[in-house]
Structures are given as structure tokens and as C-alpha cells.
Amino acid sequence: MRAATDVGGTFTDLVYYEIDKATGQSGQVRIAKVDTTPPHFEEGVVGSLAKAKISPANLDFFAHGATVVINALTERKGVKTALITTAGFRDVLEIARGNRPDLFNFAFHKPMPFVERHLRAELSERTNYKGQIERPVDLSPLPDLIASFKREGVEAIAVVFLHSYINPENEKLAAARVRELWPDVSILASHTVSREWREYERTSTTVLSAYVHPIAERYIGTLEKKLSDQGFAGKPFMMQSNGGITTARAAKANPITMVESGPASGIFAAAYVGNAVGTNNLIVLDIGGTTAKCTLIEEGHVKVTTEYYIERDGKNPGYPIQTPVSDIVEIGNGGGSIAWTDVGGKLHVGPHSAAARPGPAAYGHGGTKATTTDANLVLGRIDPASFVGGEREPDWAAVDAAFAPLQSALGMNREEVARGIIRIANANMTRALRLVSTNRGYDPRDFTLMAFGGGGAMHALALAEELKVPHVIIPVNSSVFSAWGMLLTDLRRDYLQTRQVPLTMAAIPVIDGIFGDLEREALGDFSDEDAPVAHDDIQFEYLVDMRYAGQQHTVKVPCVGAGGLQLDVAATAAAFHAAHEKRFTYRLDAAIELVNFHLVAKLVVPKPPLSPKPITGRTLAATVKGERKVDYDVHGIHMATIYDGLLLEPGMEFEGPAVVQEPSVTCVIPPRHRVTIDTFGNYHIHLSFGAEA
């Protein structure tokens, strides 16, 4: 049996299936959902297994994605952290960058560093940009520094020296001495976190990883123990932000790699499904309980970047994290997003969320604020009779109480307020979708929108209408899609190294040598006791970040022919020119420079097949549950046909107004849009943009 769990802001999702060892045939994929259990998230994981009546002793494989890292960062619930850096660079975190989003705001204040100034210390040392040690590190101040940190209650230390990405010798010596003086402290050196240049980004990344390091260690350790106590003989794998899983030991060593673990697995699952149904150009949307995440997949390729930020918006530059992350845009709009009015009487939705506790008012757990989920319930889009899979009755008294202040402030009735909440939530998500499409030179009309997560099917059609996307796919098991994606991902590690090398024929031996060093490091890491594999089983992908000589920033392209084959300089240059023109609208007749070498090392793991949905010969009429009045906003209020999604079969076809219901999925289909069911049971909605009936 193979299983995966994804901890979301509201629910913890479980996906599992069995493999017949005699025949090798995979059984049906099954799911379970339970409430997320903050702050002890592992309780929800164990609870999901119990709900599915699965004993951990029967698991051969277990993967897990958690929000523990991103929650600790955004809620400032990490540990007190100190920084040891090169003399003269104590204030790098505070200086940050000048290219802030809100450039003309004279009241602008930079984000507060995660390390207070009195906890930022300097050591005399210097490695130059070529990796040559000009001044060995002076370790003599460390005993006094450590004593000071102990008095301040420090629990984690980040060590970041200038240019240690190319030569970490001084950094290694300092980190080793700190461990001698204080064996119990959590310590992270930057060369083990990021080996890319840009001292501010590398310092920020190392500090943030150190800030959550003890939290992640305790969480993963507790999860391992709970599973082990219940008979699980293996070791859990942890989902990373790069779209691959890694061992628990590797995740504990550098927890910042898990900062966006849940969304990453859903994105790669979308690419997998898109390939299976012949749709490789996708705009991907994941609407959960707390946030909505989106990205763009072109020709089946998921973009992975190290230019990632948390808490970045139109006015806040946020905090950079220099670790491989699926290229996503995330906003604070989900099913639990709270509706509120400002002092001017304007209605807003999010970014604050009711989360799992107390949750939306309708859940009856003490929620007192109206949320997006409550609004969908009020408008008839969510069936009160099957609320939360039919496991609880909506608390209408709490819903009425939550809407009352908004009705009073806005001078509207409950339904009008609910309609406004949905419109604002949709507008927020539409802006996010534009950031990954039109803002980057892509026309949404050339793509298919694939939506998943608990709220994906609820809002997808309204968003597609706004962007004129002609085709929407709601995949099978869409409410637990990210957890399912963890069963589709490979064991993956990314190795990046900054080295400035010209793209010329003469530089081929240097390029091959750098990739060769990264390969040897990857093979050593994959041979640890948690993941013993034959070296022939490991697959490599060779990428490079390149720029025109004299430029500041780069674009990532494949390094054609690298890794034992003859490096094709001309083909690599052509790929760069094309990528640069697509991103920046022009190309130059200028020298090209390689800046970052990026090796992706993968160990392919077995994956559940995308099995065809059985056809029983059932009629479409037999799938109808009934009718109810549904508010379709701009399309008006209609009596909608309610279909049981579990009974729909391949080849069936119908038009809106309709609602397709599963225990944890509600797909709202406005009038005239046509729905078809494909071989695997995915819902395909083909939009009609003609005049309304």
C-alpha cells in the first residue's frame, strides 16, 4: 500500500492505493479528508489514516506535504535566531534591495529582518569572488559570542560568509567551531542551503531556514515516531517545493526546501494529467482553504525557479528565498478567507483566513466571520444536504450572525453581500491568474484552465469567463489533488552552483567539469542509508541560468548535450535567445554568459496509473440527484440540475445550468457551458461566450 497526506489550512487530505504484489496491478485510488489540527498537525495525519481504516504497519510507502514551514514563517512562530557573517556585512538583511514594489511611497518601511541587529555578529574573514581566501577566519571571538547568544535565548544560528557559495572553507571552520562550543544549538551554514551568489538573497534564505529548523525537526521527528509507534517500518518521504520528494533526514537538514511543498505536488500532478489527456498548455489553479495558488505550464514543462519570495505584494518587497520552488503566484484567498469592511465601508475578502479552527461560520466550530465558503453556501452553490461530504449540518444561526455586521455596514441583504464576497474573491484570483499569463506575455485563450483544491471547481468557470479561457478541466480527485500528486513525484534533489563561464567552444571542458562535480555530489547524497539506490537508476537533467554579458539577471534553459554527450553550444545559445526574447521581448547579438549551473537529480518511483473509469451503461438521467435554485451571479438565478459526480461516466455530456457534486467537490456550471466526461472521469467544461439565453 502506498499513501500520501497533504496538510492544508483547513483540511488534511489522504490519498492511497494498493498494488497486488503477485500481478503488479494497482488498485483503485481512494481518498479521505479530516480537519487540520493546528498546532499539532501530525494528529490530523494520523487521524486521516484512522478514518480510512489504514494501519501504518501496512504501508510500504508514505509521502507527506506540510505547511509547517510556511506557517512558522508567516505567523512568526519560529525560534530566536542569530546570524554570524563576514565583518562589514552585519546589516545586509536590513539594507536588502532598493527595487521595492511601491517605489513612490514616502511612508515606506522595509520589512523587519528575522534577526534583530544585536543578534547579528561579525567575524574577520574574506574570500574573494574567485574563491580565493584572502583572510582566514578569526575564530577567537566565538566563545564570547556564543555566551552572549545563550543569554539572549537563541535557539538557532545561521552562518553566512561572503562568497562562500564558491569556496565555503572559512564558513565550514566557523560552523564547526560553533558546534564544538554549543553542541545543542541548531546551526545552518549558507553553503549547505544555497550556493548561488547575491549575498542578500543567500543570507535571507539561510536565516529563514535556520528560523524554522528546530520547528521542522521536531515536527518531522514527531511524525516519524507516531507512524513508527503504529507499526510503520519505513521512513516517510517529505514533499519539497521543487516538485519532488526527499528523505525525512534531508528535509530536516534544510527545511526551507519544503516552503511550498503542497502546491508543488499539485502542479506536477496537473502536468501529468494534462499529458494523459493531450493538453500540455495549462493555467493551473489550486484553491484551498487559506490561499489560492496558480502557475502556467507550457508544453508540459513546469517551471522551477530560485527567485521566490514570501509576503511579497504590491507594496511589500517580502523576503527572498533562494531555493528551487515551482514558479507560482500565491494570494490569501481561499474557502476560509474572511470578508470584512474597512473604515470607508469598502468590502474586502482575505487575506486573513478562518483556517481550520474555528473555520467558516457554517462549520459550527465557533467561527464568527463570514467567509467565501459561507457565501457559496448562502447562494445555493454548496448543497446544505451534503455539506462537508454530508458529515455535518450547516450552522445557519452562525452564518446569519456572521453576515449581519456586513449587511448593516453595506446596506444590503444577505444574498447581495454573499454575491459581493464571491465577486471580490474571484477578482482577486483573476489578478493572480493574469500575473502568470498576460503579465508574462501569454494569451490565456491559448491555454486550458485546470482547477483543483477544495474550492477549485467552485470558482473555475467564473475565472475562465473573465479571462476568456475556452476550456476548463476539473481532474479526478480534485479536492485531494496535491496529496495525489505526491504519489506521482520522484525522489528529487536540485544542485545549483554559481560560476561565471562564457558560452564558447573553448569553455566546454569547464562546463562539463562543473556538471561532473555536481553529479558526483548527487550520487553521494542518493547513496545515504535513507535512500539506497543503484547509480544507474538516477536520472539527470542539465539546466543553466544564462544572460547576455553585462546584464544583471538571467533566464533558465536546458544545457543541450551536457552530461556525457557532446555539449551543443549552438543549440544552447539558440534556446537562450528564444527564452530571453519571450521573457523580455528582444534578443541581442552579444556574448552569452553562463551564471548558474543547475543539476536536477531524480530517482523515479512507482506511480499509480491514471486508470480509465468503468463504463456500466448507466444513463445520464440516472446520475441526476435533483434540482435546486442556484445563484450564478451575472448569469442570474436558475434552477440547476444536480448531478452525482461519482456516477458520471466517460462519454456523458450535458449543459448548464448545473452543479456536479461529489462528497468533497462542487463544480458550479453556469448556463450554456457544455460538460463532457473523458476516459478517466475528468470533467471537461467547454465555455460558450455567445449571447446569454
Side-chain angles (χ1 to χ4, degrees):
M1 182 175 287
R2 301 172 64 83
T5 55
D6 175 39
V7 177
T10 306
F11 293 106
T12 294
D13 301 335
L14 168 71
V15 175
Y16 60 99
Y17 71 102
E18 292 182 275
I19 300 176
D20 189 312
K21 292 185 177 180
T23 64
Q25 294 294 313
S26 298
Q28 182 180 356
V29 173
R30 301 181 183 277
I31 69 172
K33 291 175 81 79
V34 298
D35 289 343
T36 291
T37 54
H40 304 292
F41 297 101
E42 69 280 354
E43 298 290 348
V45 174
V46 175
S48 69
L49 292 168
K51 182 176 180 179
K53 297 183 171 62
I54 295 174
S55 168
N58 295 329
L59 293 176
D60 295 293
F61 173 92
F62 181 78
H64 178 62
T67 56
V68 62
V69 170
I70 189 66
N71 286 349
L73 292 174
T74 57
E75 297 171 13
R76 302 300 190 271
K77 291 183 178 178
V79 301
K80 183 172 279 193
T81 303
L83 171 66
I84 298 175
T85 190
T86 302
F89 289 83
R90 178 185 186 185
D91 295 316
V92 160
L93 285 179
E94 211 140 5
I95 295 169
R97 294 285 177 196
N99 54 341
R100 62 181 188 260
D102 201 11
L103 190 60
F104 299 104
N105 179 3
F106 294 111
F108 172 79
H109 293 281
K110 292 181 180 178
M112 292 293 294
F114 274 71
V115 179
E116 300 168 90
R117 194 170 195 272
H118 71 282
L119 295 178
R120 305 198 296 261
E122 300 176 342
L123 291 181
S124 176
E125 71 87 33
R126 179 54 67 92
T127 300
N128 67 22
Y129 74 97
K130 295 180 180 179
Q132 300 164 342
I133 296 178
E134 296 182 350
R135 189 185 313 140
V137 60
D138 179 7
L139 301 176
S140 59
L142 278 178
D144 290 339
L145 285 178
I146 296 303
S148 172
F149 291 160
K150 286 182 178 180
R151 287 194 299 271
E152 292 289 342
V154 167
E155 295 182 56
I157 298 174
V159 181
V160 187
F161 288 164
L162 198 65
H163 301 304
S164 59
Y165 62 87
I166 194 167
N167 183 355
E169 189 59 34
N170 279 350
E171 199 171 86
K172 286 180 178 179
L173 291 171
R177 181 59 177 148
V178 171
R179 289 190 181 95
E180 289 177 9
L181 295 169
W182 197 0
D184 296 332
V185 77
S186 171
I187 180 167
L188 282 180
S190 73
H191 70 275
T192 66
V193 176
S194 170
R195 287 181 298 183
E196 289 189 66
W197 65 357
R198 305 191 191 282
E199 65 275 11
Y200 166 57
E201 286 79 3
R202 187 161 48 88
T203 303
S204 173
T205 304
T206 309
V207 162
L208 294 179
S209 195
Y211 180 76
V212 300
H213 189 228
I215 307 293
E217 271 198 322
R218 285 196 291 269
Y219 173 72
I220 297 173
T222 302
L223 179 62
E224 286 181 300
K225 185 176 187 307
K226 282 188 175 292
L227 292 172
S228 177
D229 289 347
Q230 295 190 23
F232 181 49
K235 292 182 179 292
F237 289 94
M238 307 302 295
M239 188 67 204
Q240 301 174 103
S241 308
N242 61 7
I245 53 174
T246 190
T247 62
R249 188 172 74 168
K252 286 188 283 189
N254 183 19
I256 205 67
T257 61
M258 300 188 296
V259 66
E260 288 288 5
S261 60
S265 59
I267 292 165
F268 278 79
Y272 181 81
V273 172
N275 180 66
V277 301
T279 306
N280 291 327
N281 289 334
L282 297 169
I283 297 174
V284 178
L285 176 66
D286 176 5
I287 304 177
T290 306
T291 60
K293 286 81 63 174
C294 56
T295 192
L296 185 140
I297 298 175
E298 185 179 20
E299 298 296 331
H301 177 66
V302 178
K303 296 177 175 65
V304 174
T305 180
T306 55
E307 297 178 4
Y308 174 74
Y309 295 80
I310 62 167
E311 300 182 6
R312 185 175 186 136
D313 56 34
K315 295 185 178 180
N316 189 343
Y319 301 87
I321 297 180
Q322 205 176 53
T323 193
V325 176
S326 299
D327 190 9
I328 64 172
V329 169
E330 181 171 6
I331 61 169
N333 261 109
S337 293
I338 293 171
W340 54 281
T341 55
D342 60 23
V343 292
K346 181 181 177 182
L347 181 64
H348 300 262
V349 180
H352 300 295
S353 172
R357 289 288 189 273
Y363 283 10
H365 292 322
T368 59
K369 306 290 186 181
T371 67
T372 308
T373 294
D374 297 314
N376 278 310
L377 181 66
V378 166
L379 296 179
R381 301 178 177 202
I382 295 176
D383 185 359
S386 60
F387 189 59
V388 193
E391 296 178 6
R392 67 184 71 155
E393 292 282 337
D395 188 336
W396 286 108
V399 171
D400 290 339
F403 272 84
L406 297 175
Q407 293 173 231
S408 176
L410 298 170
M412 297 178 175
N413 63 36
R414 190 180 67 170
E415 285 68 26
E416 289 172 329
V417 172
R419 200 175 298 124
I421 292 172
I422 298 302
R423 287 184 180 182
I424 292 172
N426 287 343
N428 292 338
M429 288 184 273
T430 300
R431 282 195 294 271
L433 291 171
R434 286 197 172 106
L435 287 175
V436 300
S437 57
T438 52
N439 285 26
R440 298 181 181 180
Y442 296 96
D443 188 338
R445 293 172 295 184
D446 297 331
F447 288 78
T448 293
L449 176 64
M450 183 178 291
F452 50 88
M458 189 94 62
H459 295 265
L461 273 297
L463 304 178
E465 287 177 338
E466 182 68 25
L467 295 171
K468 304 301 181 187
V469 175
H471 181 200
V472 173
I473 298 176
I474 307 299
V476 172
N477 296 324
S478 64
S479 67
V480 295
F481 203 63
S482 290
W484 183 68
M486 293 175 200
L487 297 174
L488 300 172
T489 56
D490 298 318
L491 195 64
R492 169 174 172 155
R493 288 178 177 148
D494 289 66
Y495 300 84
L496 288 99
Q497 176 69 63
T498 295
R499 287 282 297 275
Q500 293 171 263
V501 179
L503 183 64
T504 62
M505 295 295 293
I508 289 178
V510 176
I511 297 169
D512 286 340
I514 295 170
F515 274 125
D517 290 342
L518 296 177
E519 284 181 15
R520 284 185 285 275
E521 182 181 355
L523 293 173
D525 288 345
F526 272 101
S527 296
D528 66 28
E529 73 264 20
D530 288 342
V533 296
H535 289 181
D536 291 342
D537 294 336
I538 299 174
Q539 300 176 357
F540 293 116
E541 182 181 358
Y542 305 86
L543 305 169
V544 282
D545 295 327
M546 298 199 295
R547 65 185 184 183
Y548 292 116
Q551 282 186 325
Q552 173 76 354
H553 293 288
T554 62
V555 292
K556 190 183 295 291
V557 297
C559 192
V560 183
L565 302 173
Q566 179 63 40
L567 180 66
D568 192 330
V569 172
T572 302
F576 166 72
H577 286 304
H580 188 279
E581 184 173 21
K582 188 164 194 68
R583 181 167 177 180
F584 299 111
T585 74
Y586 69 93
R587 63 174 71 197
L588 298 175
D589 183 14
I592 300 172
E593 186 177 47
L594 287 76
V595 175
N596 294 320
F597 291 76
H598 184 176
L599 178 73
V600 179
K602 291 182 181 178
L603 176 65
V604 177
V605 300
K607 299 175 177 62
L610 200 57
S611 303
K613 190 170 185 178
I615 299 176
T616 65
R618 180 185 296 119
T619 64
L620 181 64
T623 70
V624 174
K625 294 168 66 75
E627 289 186 328
R628 74 167 177 272
K629 190 177 294 184
V630 175
D631 189 324
Y632 288 96
D633 194 5
V634 297
H635 298 281
I637 300 173
H638 296 270
M639 287 301 296
T641 304
I642 312 302
Y643 294 92
D644 186 336
L646 299 181
L647 299 180
L648 291 173
E649 295 185 358
M652 288 183 174
E653 184 174 329
F654 56 90
E655 285 190 357
V659 176
V660 180
Q661 291 182 187
E662 297 178 15
S664 55
V665 176
T666 299
C667 184
V668 179
I669 301 140
R672 302 192 65 189
H673 298 328
R674 182 169 54 88
V675 181
T676 60
I677 314 300
D678 71 14
T679 302
F680 307 106
N682 304 306
Y683 308 146
H684 294 251
I685 302 95
H686 308 272
L687 276 69
S688 169
F689 294 107
E692 291 296 327

